[in-house]
Amino acid sequence: MPFTDRSILQAAMAQSAIDAACRPEDFAKQENVIVLSKADPRARKYLSLPFDCHLISYGSNIVASVRADCRPIVEPFIRSYPAEHCFETPNLHVLNDALQQKGLRVCFMAEYFLPRLERLQPLDCPLPCRELHPEDFAPLYTDAWSNALCARRKELDVLGIGAYDGGRLVGLAACSADCDSMWQIGIDVLPAYRRQGIASALTSRLALAILERGKVPFYCAAWSNIKSVRNAIRSGFLPAWVELTAKSVSFVDELNRRGASSVSGL
């Protein structure tokens, strides 16, 4: 059955419900919902479940998926402020301060994008493009392509589209089969080839290829990553939902020691 904007959104909510251990309809309620997190083999592969504290909003409310001893902290917090302010300072300091009593800190904050079908089209690319498959990825697990491909989960990388200058790969959009119904897009373009429309051309074409295979493409960016957000919008995507994840103090400290940042919840 062909996709519609509504069916794409419903697929995303259904997957978020699996991840959060709630019901899809919970994301459309006006009142907030809090549930106890639990592991599920159908969840997105990069998530570490059960969550300690994880907030999701599709705009109407907040669904909080938490461990039992965090509920007395999170429940009054999400009821004290409008949903959008729960993901922003200064209100977010209230949650972070309370979670530190449990050995947790706010760690990951991400915005997720879904394609809007009337906006999605194969954008022109100034360079030749070709489709890539897992057998083509083996030599590409390097820093240059670390957004498009994930060396730690190579088995999930299923499809890509590359842009070539002569025989040299200069841009790559690839997707990982993070769950049964949705594939996540990542994009890398070599520095000398940026700001030429390559990223949006590859992203839009890959999104269409994913839809053709009966899967829903999705795109994730930190809200402050303006370049990535602009690429999503140029490529035919619009914001759909946001997530916030708290992790242990030791986990956060280790990320800071490594100078690492991520939105994947690993």
Side-chain angles (χ1 to χ4, degrees):
M1 183 176 65
F3 284 107
T4 64
D5 289 335
R6 180 175 176 81
S7 68
I8 287 172
L9 180 62
Q10 288 175 333
M13 288 183 170
Q15 185 59 48
S16 291
I18 291 170
D19 300 338
C22 67
R23 298 175 299 175
E25 56 266 32
D26 288 339
F27 298 107
K29 293 180 177 179
Q30 293 302 307
E31 67 274 13
N32 294 323
V33 175
I34 188 162
V35 295
L36 295 182
S37 179
K38 61 182 180 181
D40 191 314
R42 302 169 298 163
R44 283 174 287 162
K45 303 302 182 185
Y46 58 83
L47 297 177
S48 296
L49 296 177
F51 293 120
D52 297 308
C53 170
H54 187 76
L55 308 184
I56 306 170
S57 179
Y58 278 80
S60 298
N61 69 343
I62 291 176
V63 172
S65 184
V66 301
R67 73 188 199 202
D69 66 323
C70 289
R71 183 168 188 151
I73 292 172
V74 178
E75 192 161 21
F77 172 74
I78 63 175
R79 290 179 176 168
S80 297
Y81 309 104
E84 61 273 19
H85 295 318
C86 288
F87 293 83
E88 295 183 338
T89 54
N91 301 145
L92 197 53
H93 289 303
V94 175
L95 177 64
N96 191 66
D97 290 349
L99 287 175
Q100 288 195 89
Q101 303 169 24
K102 302 293 183 181
L104 302 170
R105 287 179 183 161
V106 172
C107 185
F108 298 122
M109 298 173 65
E111 186 172 21
Y112 289 83
F113 298 77
L114 292 172
R116 185 63 61 87
L117 294 179
E118 69 270 18
R119 297 167 55 93
L120 186 62
Q121 58 182 317
L123 299 178
D124 292 335
C125 187
L127 295 171
C129 301
R130 71 178 178 91
E131 193 171 281
L132 302 174
H133 302 95
E135 59 269 21
D136 302 308
F137 296 151
L140 302 179
Y141 288 99
T142 65
D143 289 345
W145 313 114
S146 60
N147 290 310
L149 300 171
C150 181
R152 286 172 294 178
R153 296 184 297 273
K154 295 179 181 179
E155 71 281 2
L156 300 180
D157 293 330
V158 291
L159 183 65
I161 297 181
Y164 289 82
D165 186 0
R168 183 190 185 200
L169 180 67
V170 300
L172 175 64
C175 59
S176 55
D178 290 334
C179 53
D180 288 343
S181 61
M182 302 178 72
W183 291 358
Q184 181 172 192
I185 293 175
I187 178 71
D188 285 295
V189 177
L190 297 183
Y193 293 85
R194 293 171 185 168
R195 303 181 68 85
Q196 299 179 36
I198 294 173
S200 56
L202 296 178
T203 302
S204 62
R205 293 173 186 217
L206 182 57
L208 289 165
I210 293 170
L211 289 169
E212 289 172 358
R213 287 160 172 79
K215 306 296 183 180
V216 172
F218 72 105
Y219 186 108
C220 178
W223 67 268
S224 56
N225 190 341
I226 300 301
K227 292 185 293 185
S228 186
V229 170
R230 285 175 176 166
N231 179 59
I233 293 171
R234 281 196 302 266
S235 302
F237 286 74
L238 289 177
W241 80 97
V242 294
E243 297 184 8
L244 178 151
T245 309
K247 303 289 284 186
S248 69
V249 170
S250 60
F251 183 94
V252 175
D253 287 346
E254 178 59 25
L255 281 185
N256 286 329
R257 277 193 295 270
R258 297 202 313 257
S261 62
S262 173
V263 293
S264 65
L266 288 172

